[in-house]
Amino acid sequence: MKYDFSAIEKKWQDKWDEAKIFNAEDHSGKPKFYGLVEFPYPSGSGMHVGHIKAYSGLEIIGRKRRMQGYNVLFPIGFDAFGLPTENSAIKTGIHPRELTDRNIAKFSSQLRRVGFAFDWDRVVDTTEEDYYKWTQFIFLKMFENGLAFRDTALVNYCPHCKVVLSNEDSQGGKCDICHSDIVQKSKDVWYLRITEYADKLLQGLEEVDYLPNIKMQQVNWIGKSRGAFVNFGLTAGDETLRIYTTRPDTLFGVTFMVIAPEHPIIEKLAAEGKINNMDEVRAYQEECTKKTEFERTQLVKDKTGVCLDGVKGINPVNGKEIPIYLADYVMMGYGTGAIMAVPAHDERDYDFAKKFGIDIIEVIKGGNIEEAAYTGDGPMVNSDFLNAYDNKADSIAAMIEWLQEKGIGEGGVQFKMKDWAFNRQRYWGEPIPIVHCPTCGMVPVPYEELPLRLPPVSEFEPGQGGESPLAKLDYFVNCNCPKCGGAAKRETDTMPQWAGSSWYFLRYIDPKNNEALADMDKLRYWLPVDWYNGGMEHVTRHLIYSRFWHHFLYDLGLVPTAEPYAKRTAQGLILGPDGEKMSKSRGNTVDPNDVVNELGADVLRVYILFMGDYGSAAPWSDNGVKGCKRFLDRVADLTTMVKGGEPNAKLESAIHKTLKKVTLDIEDMKFNTAIAAMMGLLNDIFDVGSLTMEQLSIFVRMICPFAPHLAEEMWEQMGGKGFCSLAEWPVWDEAKTIDATVELAVQINGKVRGKVTLPMNADKDIAIAAVKADEKIYSFIAGKTVIKEIVIPNKIINIVVK
């Protein structure tokens, strides 16, 4: 068969669309399969090969499931709010709505050209009013339940983008959008109280099938620790400094304290005239405001600090007075903003103590504190009543009990994860549906008035003070309070891009519902998502956020499952031909459209899955792409090799072995080895020179998920009924996967001297007879005394002679 991909691919894409064969059916009697991919941000540059790989894994699995009789939901949509489109609008003067519509049209066209089996009747766009109405609905539910709140705090702020960023969006001290350095700035911020769900998010990980490294990253990001809260007195006034520590067993080794430069106790003590060096303190505070949180908390950096003159802390376990330092590595947002320091057993405290000449007292035996901090376990020393203990666990328990008896502390739990900074001072996002009333305070927009629509504007640039462009619109800002009817002002910040993506998988289930975010009966049918595949870069952001929203909705009774995703896997990056990460600046990017235009969509699909392990990074190879083209050209030729008669036994066995491997490899996402197996089978077929129509039918259905356009064309030429994409997935015959014979190595005195072919599971007598019948091997035995004959069936033969 002539493989004219340019004609074949468009033909079958049109037929699929016309017949709507990939549309899911609500409440079908078939078993359901909900496969989910991370919906794309529709940028102006269009789709890149990374998108193809990201979607291809579940594309293959979903197509196979459909052929196995499942009712498959495999949807697509667009996460279209956010800074990139708004920044483009500022540069071009084109409204973000128009840019978004253009970009979505471009992405949709590209996705269709590759032949993805998406249900195009369920497309969602997070910027459409009938979508973000329900994003606002969920926000209001959180506000009602105390999970959405406003607070003044030091935040991560990007001066370039003029927005507040969450910790997740500013990892490494860089803005996730423009990669500029972020700074600390005091602002009024909307937060979502994700910390309230920390335990549920941890417990939920025990119920799901996530890759181990995905689970571990979530566990580490949430960062649950058990320890104790301890109250340290001060030498000046009645104030106390409350600290949290995971090592209360080391309290007798505390020789100084450190507080965050922003700690409110500084202002209290200053107002009372208790601090004698306030000029030095103010200078240090000013210096710290210029540093990002990332810079402040780095372990490997010069230690800086200022000791408070005029006030000291009091160690509650021994009454000793200890100095109090301000230091930038302590943050108000973590713990209590104050720490106890045990330099003998903490590396950072040790370095700090050495620099500032502070006492170092050993309380755990096992190291040499003259040389370094000892961070291991061991017997307690210099610790009064704890000296009777020789391990950390018992010492901690004893100290917590003692603290509680004395009323100066108690056991407690802390989390590394912070509440989610949830607002942006930009235009292109969901308006936050809150009204600020001088009489009633913060008042939610009534549900019946949702959506609170984003007003049309022509100027998108944020204000110089970092306020939202919406703040300039008097007709939007000025309103009446929904509660008292008096003059009020609307909230002008918008939600972050992560808002719309925190529940999109629910809207796919019922995308046109105007009365609810989704119908409960449909949610019960489709949830949970059976398999979710996405990037590792979203494990500590989107994945945690969406699980949080889902747990909250479950607590309200709005969704039927506690966890949204039963399974989560991840794909690796596609690197440039030079082995480096693809980027325009390096000039090593690959446009998938170029491959489709030159070689066809099926070649692109097959190569991206063949280039390496799906979960690992792999470099692009033009030669590899051409190799896949040659493979599909040979597959197309199979229609000319069909002959009647009995099937070749050896080829029949190879076909069923390959079918078994491909079937199982797809489930394990070992797509590269599945394709390699089909390549090997193709060589076997060409070696034989022919195959039966049934054998061809198996091969075509087997390759259909990978190269569906070619498979459909071959299926039609063979006279197959309906679409190959809906044909029954073939089932291997286990008996045909077992070889009738096996080739065994023969060792004489431990050295391989030849091989013999035996019936499978042949007994010892048959094996030894075959060895003796082989003249070459027998020559090493002839005339010698056989000491031992060892035969391991189907494995090896070893004969010892003398």
Side-chain angles (χ1 to χ4, degrees):
M1 181 190 92
K2 187 177 184 302
Y3 178 30
D4 181 1
F5 68 84
S6 58
I8 288 173
E9 291 177 352
K10 182 67 168 65
K11 166 187 171 181
W12 288 106
Q13 288 163 14
D14 289 345
K15 284 179 176 288
W16 294 334
D17 282 348
E18 183 180 345
K20 296 185 179 296
I21 69 168
F22 303 131
N23 285 22
E25 179 186 346
D26 296 323
H27 308 299
S28 166
K30 298 178 180 178
K32 68 94 177 177
F33 177 76
Y34 185 175
L36 181 70
V37 293
E38 291 174 342
F39 61 168
Y41 186 89
S43 65
S45 58
M47 210 165 56
H48 54 73
V49 288
H51 288 108
I52 308 299
K53 184 173 183 180
Y55 307 152
S56 290
L58 283 181
E59 159 79 356
I60 302 302
I61 290 163
R63 280 181 173 272
K64 173 174 167 284
R65 287 281 200 282
R66 191 176 289 107
M67 296 174 73
Q68 290 176 313
Y70 283 77
N71 178 30
V72 175
L73 173 54
F74 187 46
I76 193 65
F78 299 94
D79 188 15
F81 271 134
L83 290 174
T85 298
E86 184 170 332
N87 289 338
S88 180
I90 292 170
K91 289 179 182 177
T92 63
I94 302 171
H95 195 280
R97 174 75 272 159
E98 183 178 343
L99 288 174
T100 297
D101 290 342
R102 286 185 196 175
N103 295 345
I104 287 177
K106 184 176 184 178
F107 261 70
S108 297
S109 173
Q110 292 174 324
L111 289 167
R112 287 177 181 273
R113 282 198 70 196
V114 180
F116 284 112
F118 292 127
D119 182 342
W120 288 98
D121 284 353
R122 294 178 184 254
V123 172
V124 300
D125 168 6
T126 59
T127 68
E128 292 288 350
E129 292 174 359
D130 61 357
Y131 184 93
Y132 73 72
K133 166 185 177 179
W134 298 105
T135 308
Q136 292 174 333
F137 170 88
I138 297 170
F139 176 87
L140 288 183
K141 288 294 182 185
M142 289 192 169
F143 182 76
E144 285 177 8
N145 287 273
L147 294 180
F149 66 100
R150 196 171 172 85
D151 195 12
T152 301
L154 276 177
V155 296
N156 306 313
Y157 183 77
C158 175
H160 181 266
C161 294
K162 296 185 175 68
V163 292
V164 173
L165 298 170
S166 68
N167 279 4
E168 292 87 343
D169 291 332
S170 54
Q171 296 183 56
K174 300 287 186 181
C175 173
D176 196 50
I177 303 297
C178 69
H179 308 296
S180 300
D181 290 335
I182 59 108
V183 298
Q184 296 284 294
K185 189 170 184 175
S186 181
K187 287 188 73 71
D188 285 339
V189 178
W190 278 100
Y191 288 100
L192 295 188
R193 212 181 298 272
I194 191 172
T195 52
E196 286 289 313
Y197 276 76
D199 275 323
K200 287 185 177 181
L201 292 172
L202 285 173
Q203 292 162 7
L205 292 174
E206 299 174 6
E207 303 168 10
V208 294
D209 180 15
Y210 290 4
L211 291 175
N213 57 340
I214 292 177
K215 282 190 178 183
M216 185 55 64
Q217 284 198 36
Q218 294 225 330
V219 168
N220 291 341
W221 188 263
I222 294 168
K224 183 176 182 177
S225 65
R226 297 185 182 277
F229 290 97
V230 187
N231 299 320
F232 281 70
L234 301 180
T235 57
D238 299 326
E239 299 290 341
T240 60
L241 273 176
R242 186 168 172 82
I243 63 96
Y244 173 79
T245 176
T246 59
R247 296 299 305 270
D249 56 317
T250 63
L251 268 162
F252 284 99
V254 174
T255 58
F256 66 101
M257 301 185 75
V258 183
I259 61 175
E262 306 83 15
H263 201 293
I265 202 168
I266 297 170
E267 302 309 318
K268 289 183 180 180
L269 293 171
E272 297 170 1
K274 301 290 176 60
I275 301 176
N276 301 325
N277 59 335
M278 277 307 297
D279 288 344
E280 188 181 6
V281 168
R282 293 296 186 213
Y284 188 74
Q285 288 175 321
E286 177 64 24
E287 183 184 327
C288 291
T289 62
K290 300 173 184 176
K291 297 180 181 180
T292 67
E293 182 174 332
F294 178 75
E295 290 171 329
R296 285 175 59 173
T297 55
Q298 288 302 286
L299 287 172
V300 184
K301 72 180 185 70
D302 289 336
K303 303 296 182 289
T304 65
V306 172
C307 184
L308 294 184
D309 182 8
V311 60
K312 290 187 176 183
I314 301 173
N315 189 328
V317 298
N318 56 22
K320 290 183 178 180
E321 294 183 4
I322 53 178
I324 301 172
Y325 284 80
L326 275 71
D328 59 3
Y329 69 85
V330 177
M331 308 291 297
M332 275 307 301
Y334 288 102
T336 64
I339 66 166
M340 67 180 208
V342 186
H345 305 291
D346 180 274
E347 291 176 3
R348 178 147 48 186
D349 294 347
Y350 186 89
D351 292 342
F352 195 95
K354 283 290 187 181
K355 177 170 181 176
F356 289 96
I358 305 170
D359 291 344
I360 300 174
I361 299 174
E362 181 183 49
V363 292
I364 303 174
K365 193 174 181 179
N368 181 357
I369 62 170
E370 296 298 322
E371 297 180 356
Y374 175 64
T375 58
D377 204 352
M380 303 301 296
V381 295
N382 302 319
S383 296
D384 198 87
F385 65 90
L386 290 184
N387 289 340
Y389 297 96
D390 61 1
N391 66 85
K392 181 171 69 174
D394 290 342
S395 301
I396 289 174
M399 178 56 81
I400 290 175
E401 183 179 352
W402 187 87
L403 290 170
Q404 291 174 166
E405 286 177 358
K406 300 295 183 183
I408 53 176
E410 69 279 342
V413 171
Q414 283 281 80
F415 295 94
K416 177 185 170 186
M417 180 174 65
K418 289 185 177 182
D419 286 326
W420 176 7
F422 194 70
N423 54 332
R424 300 289 183 268
Q425 296 70 42
R426 298 301 291 257
Y427 169 73
W428 195 233
E430 300 92 341
I432 293 177
I434 295 293
V435 171
H436 298 277
C437 174
T439 303
C440 305
M442 292 187 293
V443 180
V445 171
Y447 288 107
E448 60 270 20
E449 294 182 15
L450 297 180
L452 173 59
R453 292 177 172 82
L454 195 61
V457 300
S458 55
E459 296 292 332
F460 316 109
E461 189 75 43
Q464 289 304 309
E467 72 272 10
S468 164
L470 297 180
K472 306 172 188 176
L473 307 177
D474 289 342
Y475 71 90
F476 176 80
V477 174
N478 297 321
C479 64
N480 294 323
C481 172
K483 192 172 182 180
C484 72
K489 294 185 180 295
R490 293 192 190 282
E491 173 64 57
T492 57
D493 283 356
T494 54
M495 299 185 200
Q497 184 181 342
W498 304 105
S501 64
S502 291
W503 70 282
Y504 74 111
F505 53 93
L506 300 176
R507 192 62 175 173
Y508 282 143
I509 290 172
D510 198 8
K512 297 176 175 61
N513 193 326
N514 292 321
E515 305 303 320
L517 54 85
D519 176 77
M520 180 57 82
D521 286 340
K522 293 180 181 179
L523 291 170
R524 289 192 185 98
Y525 175 76
W526 285 111
L527 288 178
V529 172
D530 294 286
W531 197 329
Y532 189 12
N533 187 79
M536 286 300 297
E537 68 275 15
H538 292 145
V539 166
T540 55
R541 291 182 286 188
H542 158 68
L543 193 60
I544 282 184
Y545 294 159
S546 59
R547 290 183 60 227
F548 162 48
W549 280 42
H550 196 81
H551 273 276
F552 169 69
L553 294 173
Y554 177 71
D555 286 347
L556 294 187
L558 296 177
V559 294
T561 62
E563 284 291 335
Y565 321 116
K567 183 172 185 173
R568 174 58 153 79
T569 51
Q571 75 280 348
L573 294 174
I574 295 181
L575 305 176
D578 56 0
E580 300 291 335
K581 188 174 180 179
M582 286 190 182
S583 71
K584 291 180 181 178
S585 61
R586 286 197 182 99
N588 64 349
T589 59
V590 176
D591 187 340
N593 299 310
D594 294 340
V595 181
V596 173
N597 291 336
E598 181 184 354
L599 301 171
D602 281 346
V603 170
L604 176 66
R605 292 168 61 104
V606 169
Y607 172 66
I608 278 182
L609 293 176
F610 180 61
M611 63 192 300
D613 177 74
Y614 188 70
S616 303
W620 185 270
S621 166
D622 288 335
N623 288 334
V625 179
K626 292 172 183 175
C628 288
K629 176 65 165 68
R630 290 191 294 272
F631 166 60
L632 293 184
D633 284 340
R634 294 181 76 204
V635 170
D637 287 340
L638 291 179
T639 55
T640 65
M641 300 171 65
V642 175
K643 289 186 179 178
E646 289 295 314
N648 177 284
K650 188 174 181 181
L651 181 58
E652 185 76 357
S653 176
I655 285 173
H656 283 267
K657 285 180 182 178
T658 304
L659 175 57
K660 179 178 181 178
K661 179 169 179 57
V662 170
T663 301
L664 298 178
D665 279 358
I666 287 175
E667 293 304 311
D668 292 333
M669 301 192 100
K670 296 178 180 178
F671 306 115
N672 58 329
T673 57
I675 294 169
M678 287 187 282
M679 289 176 171
L681 175 60
L682 189 66
N683 290 334
D684 292 340
I685 294 171
F686 274 82
D687 287 345
V688 171
S690 66
L691 74 170
T692 67
M693 182 60 77
E694 176 58 25
Q695 290 173 334
L696 178 60
S697 171
I698 291 174
F699 192 100
V700 171
R701 284 179 284 162
M702 187 165 48
I703 203 171
C704 184
F706 298 89
H709 308 90
L710 175 58
E712 293 282 12
E713 188 70 11
M714 294 176 70
W715 186 255
E716 183 181 65
Q717 286 203 10
M718 292 161 52
K721 293 182 179 179
F723 291 95
C724 187
S725 297
L726 299 180
E728 184 178 352
W729 182 260
V731 179
W732 73 85
D733 183 338
E734 185 64 30
K736 293 180 180 179
T737 67
I738 300 171
D739 290 325
T741 60
V742 61
E743 190 176 62
L744 298 187
V746 179
Q747 293 181 347
I748 308 298
N749 290 343
K751 291 185 179 181
V752 176
R753 297 301 188 181
K755 294 180 180 179
V756 294
T757 300
L758 301 173
M760 186 65 70
N761 300 318
D763 61 23
K764 181 178 179 179
D765 291 341
I766 294 175
I768 296 302
V771 169
K772 293 177 178 178
D774 186 298
E775 292 183 7
K776 179 183 174 183
I777 300 174
Y778 187 69
S779 67
F780 293 98
I781 301 174
K784 297 177 181 178
T785 303
V786 175
I787 305 298
K788 203 170 191 179
E789 294 174 338
I790 303 169
V791 177
I792 302 176
N794 307 324
K795 300 282 187 179
I796 198 168
I797 301 169
N798 189 11
I799 299 176
V800 180
V801 297
K802 187 177 180 181

